[in-house]
Amino acid sequence: MENKTERFEKLLVKNGLKRTAPRLQVLEILSGRDSATSQPYLEQVMGKDADRVTLYRVLQAFEEKGIIHKVLDQQGTANYAICSDGCSAHEHHDEHVHFNCDNCHKIYCLDSVKIPALKVPVGFKVEHLNLIATGLCANCSDKVN
Amino acid sequence: MENKTERFEKLLVKNGLKRTAPRLQVLEILSGRDSATSQPYLEQVMGKDADRVTLYRVLQAFEEKGIIHKVLDQQGTANYAICSDGCSAHEHHDEHVHFNCDNCHKIYCLDSVKIPALKVPVGFKVEHLNLIATGLCANCSDKVN
DNA sequence: ATGTTAATGCAATTATGTTGCAAATATAGG
DNA sequence: CCTATATTTGCAACATAATTGCATTAACAT
Ligand SMILES: [Mn+2]
Ligand SMILES: [Mn+2]
Ligand SMILES: [Zn+2]
Ligand SMILES: [Zn+2]
């Protein structure tokens, strides 16, 4: 059985990206979490292991290649989650709902919840849909009760 | 027939806000446009008529009172639109879909398009839904054809 | 081993948004 | 109309997110 780092290295190579420490570190961090990860948090965790600018460039490259997708929370903060299989440089398949908890502020990818089609006014051509639900996540609504 | 400025002044008074030049100017600008207005655009149009900070505070006050609502576009930029009737300090009724044109970047409030209810995983409690569609607006898809 | 290209680090800059405080002003009440 | 008071504004300083240019470093194909 191949380990995680090997998988990540293959993923980078497959996308024509060199396997560098900052990139592997970002993949490690994102994959070890059950919800999307904010840029500020990533920056803090990476600390001096990588420059801020490098982090931005790693995230941008990953997004372009379809390795991760970006979700803006209600405050406009960028959050990143690893894409499910099927995303590529040419096409993101992430039309699932995102859930932004009002209490813990985590953002969950609800991969099983698809966004329903919409009837829009004449003339408008819908390309993508982006739905963010807010409320209490499973963890937080447990604690409250 | 009462003119626009009179209506705006009543709106301010009704919400316990003094009728000041920056506030009236923001209402003028927002009401004269067919789509939501970005903070950077507002700042540019107001120019030296009002300080940046004042603009931020005007927008915040209006949002709190239910006079306008904020929509973040795909880049995370804040855009503002006047609320339809029925919004107040205590409750926003803006669960309509927003359309962000990929070409002209305008954001339209699709007041007639409601966000469909969602089935989410067990434990999650949905409070609000926020749906942004992207694609081509009516104007832009006309021009392309 | 080495050359080429991609990636990083650093410094500087821009954009967005916030806070504290003093000065100005809208307006209510006399 | 005057005046007192609470609100609002302007300014300066700060905070944070993001971008750009450029020199240096490092990955990896040959
Ligand atoms: Mn997602
Ligand atoms: Mn709207
Ligand atoms: Zn939560
Ligand atoms: Zn358009």
Side-chain angles (χ1 to χ4, degrees):
Chain A
M1 167 192 168
E2 79 187 337
N3 68 37
K4 223 165 51 159
T5 304
E6 279 169 9
R7 275 197 297 113
F8 293 153
E9 292 185 346
K10 279 185 186 169
L11 183 61
L12 292 177
V13 171
K14 187 180 75 174
N15 284 285
L17 299 173
K18 295 181 175 173
R19 42 189 178 166
T20 65
R23 286 173 176 166
L24 289 169
Q25 199 179 347
V26 167
L27 290 175
E28 280 291 343
I29 295 169
L30 293 186
S31 69
R33 294 166 48 84
D34 68 335
S35 57
T37 304
S38 72
Q39 187 281 331
Y41 178 84
L42 273 168
E43 189 174 323
Q44 182 202 311
V45 171
M46 310 259 304
K48 60 176 184 49
D49 294 349
D51 190 78
R52 274 171 47 76
V53 179
T54 299
L55 174 57
Y56 279 109
R57 291 193 274 227
V58 165
L59 293 171
Q60 191 186 311
F62 284 2
E63 203 185 353
E64 281 168 8
K65 298 298 187 177
I67 296 173
I68 63 177
H69 59 281
K70 168 157 57 171
V71 190
L72 299 181
D73 67 19
Q74 297 312 96
Q75 285 76 247
T77 303
N79 286 256
Y80 297 90
I82 294 193
C83 288
S84 50
D85 294 337
C87 292
S88 72
H90 300 297
E91 203 172 345
H92 269 281
H93 301 237
D94 290 298
E95 298 232 333
H96 52 266
V97 172
H98 291 106
F99 190 95
N100 195 176
C101 179
D102 289 328
N103 184 245
C104 65
H105 303 111
K106 284 186 181 177
I107 294 188
Y108 294 91
C109 293
L110 303 185
D111 293 283
S112 63
V113 184
K114 302 304 176 195
I115 303 179
L118 272 193
K119 219 188 295 178
V120 294
V122 171
F124 287 85
K125 304 260 184 287
V126 174
E127 195 65 36
H128 290 293
L129 295 173
N130 185 351
L131 203 173
I132 299 189
T134 63
L136 288 181
C137 75
N139 272 342
C140 291
S141 58
D142 262 7
K143 283 178 204 147
V144 168
N145 298 338
Chain B
M1 168 194 168
E2 79 187 337
N3 69 37
K4 225 165 53 160
T5 305
E6 279 168 9
R7 274 198 296 113
F8 293 153
E9 292 185 346
K10 279 186 186 166
L11 184 62
L12 292 178
V13 171
K14 188 181 75 176
N15 284 285
L17 299 173
K18 294 185 174 170
R19 38 186 181 169
T20 65
R23 285 172 177 166
L24 288 169
Q25 199 178 348
V26 168
L27 289 175
E28 280 291 344
I29 296 170
L30 293 187
S31 68
R33 294 165 50 83
D34 68 335
S35 57
T37 304
S38 71
Q39 187 283 330
Y41 178 85
L42 274 169
E43 190 174 323
Q44 182 203 309
V45 170
M46 310 258 305
K48 59 175 185 49
D49 293 348
D51 190 80
R52 276 170 43 75
V53 178
T54 299
L55 173 57
Y56 280 107
R57 290 193 275 226
V58 167
L59 293 171
Q60 192 187 309
F62 284 1
E63 203 184 353
E64 281 168 9
K65 298 298 188 178
I67 296 172
I68 64 177
H69 60 281
K70 168 156 58 171
V71 190
L72 299 180
D73 67 17
Q74 297 311 97
Q75 286 75 245
T77 302
N79 286 255
Y80 297 89
I82 294 192
C83 287
S84 51
D85 295 336
C87 292
S88 72
H90 299 296
E91 199 172 349
H92 270 281
H93 301 236
D94 291 298
E95 296 232 334
H96 51 264
V97 172
H98 290 105
F99 190 95
N100 195 176
C101 180
D102 290 328
N103 185 246
C104 65
H105 303 110
K106 284 185 180 176
I107 294 189
Y108 294 91
C109 292
L110 302 185
D111 294 283
S112 64
V113 184
K114 302 304 175 196
I115 304 179
L118 273 192
K119 219 188 295 175
V120 294
V122 171
F124 286 85
K125 305 263 186 284
V126 174
E127 195 65 35
H128 288 293
L129 295 173
N130 185 353
L131 203 174
I132 298 187
T134 63
L136 289 180
C137 74
N139 273 342
C140 290
S141 57
D142 262 6
K143 284 179 202 145
V144 168
N145 297 339

